[in-house]
Amino acid sequence: VREDLRNELLTELRDWRHNDKRGGSSNNRERPSINAKCYMILRAPAVVSPSNGSGGNNNDDGTTVITKVSRREKRRHKKMEGNVKLWNLALLAMKETDPEFATRCSEIAVTYGFTGSPHIDRQNASPFYGLALGEFTEGTGCVNVECSPRIVAEVNTKNRLGRVDGRWPHWVGGYDVEREERFS
C-alpha cells in the first residue's frame, strides 16, 4: 500500500478512534468475544436495484424507492454515512493490490487495540486481506494462522496487505498494546 494512502487511512482511523459518533469509542465493540479496544464492521452500501415488486415504489426509470427499511438497515446506513471516507480509502488500497477481490469486498472490519483472540471467521466464504497501521514495533502484531497442529504462519501486515484464510484458526500476535498504537 503506497505511503500517501497509508497516511490518509491512518489519519481517518485516528479520527474514528476518538469520535464516538463514528463508532470508534471503546464502548463500541460489535464483537465482544474478540479482544479489541474497538471493533466495528462496515458493510457495503446497499444498491437499489430494478423493481422486483418487493417493498418499494416504482420510479419511471425502473428503479425502486425502498419505503420500508428495518431499524438494523437504518443503523448500518448511519454508520456508513459517518465512515464513508474510511470505507472508500480501504477499498482503494484493496483495488490497488487486488482489483478482482475488491469487486467482491462486502465487509470491512475496523479495529483498534486488537490482541490475541484465536478464532475462526464463520461468515467468511473465502480468504480476507488484513492491513495494520499505527505506531507499533515492526515484526509485532502480525496475523498468525494455524496451518496445522504444529505449523503457524506469521503474516506481517504492518503497512501492507496480507491475504489470510480466516476459515482457519487465526489471531493477532503480541505487541505492546498498552504503549503502542495498532489499527487494523
Side-chain angles (χ1 to χ4, degrees):
V1 179
R2 57 188 161 84
E3 185 177 9
D4 63 320
L5 181 53
R6 290 193 321 258
N7 291 339
E8 197 171 354
L9 259 167
L10 185 56
T11 298
E12 198 61 22
L13 287 165
R14 286 175 174 152
D15 183 69
W16 165 78
R17 169 71 178 108
H18 296 291
N19 187 334
D20 292 347
K21 292 181 180 177
R22 291 184 61 194
S25 75
S26 53
N27 295 332
N28 184 24
R29 294 180 55 227
E30 294 181 22
R31 289 183 63 194
S33 63
I34 299 297
N35 188 12
K37 291 180 180 177
C38 301
Y39 191 105
M40 173 180 74
I41 298 172
L42 288 175
R43 288 177 174 78
V47 176
V48 177
S49 59
S51 177
N52 60 9
S54 61
N57 297 325
N58 296 334
N59 284 336
D60 292 336
D61 64 1
T63 61
T64 302
V65 176
I66 299 173
T67 56
K68 294 181 181 180
V69 180
S70 70
R71 280 183 275 172
R72 175 183 287 170
E73 201 53 46
K74 286 178 184 176
R75 284 192 306 267
R76 286 181 182 170
H77 179 75
K78 186 174 181 171
K79 184 171 42 169
M80 181 56 87
E81 277 183 341
N83 292 291
V84 70
K85 184 175 180 183
L86 182 56
W87 171 269
N88 289 335
L89 289 169
L91 213 53
L92 179 58
M94 180 57 54
K95 285 177 184 175
E96 291 180 2
T97 302
D98 188 342
E100 196 276 323
F101 187 90
T103 64
R104 296 184 322 233
C105 182
S106 60
E107 291 185 350
I108 297 173
V110 183
T111 72
Y112 172 74
F114 195 119
T115 59
S117 301
H119 64 283
I120 295 173
D121 295 338
R122 291 186 182 95
Q123 295 85 5
N124 286 15
S126 66
F128 69 88
Y129 279 91
L131 169 68
L133 299 171
E135 301 296 326
F136 61 99
T137 307
E138 182 67 45
T140 66
C142 297
V143 178
N144 297 313
V145 183
E146 184 178 295
C147 301
S148 74
R150 294 191 177 136
I151 299 173
V152 173
E154 187 175 82
V155 182
N156 186 349
T157 58
K158 184 173 183 180
N159 297 326
R160 60 184 68 88
L161 281 159
R163 190 170 172 152
V164 174
D165 193 336
R167 297 170 293 182
W168 295 92
H170 62 285
W171 61 96
V172 173
Y175 66 99
D176 191 342
V177 70
E178 297 304 320
R179 292 189 192 98
E180 296 180 316
E181 167 196 66
R182 182 184 182 277
F183 292 94
S184 60

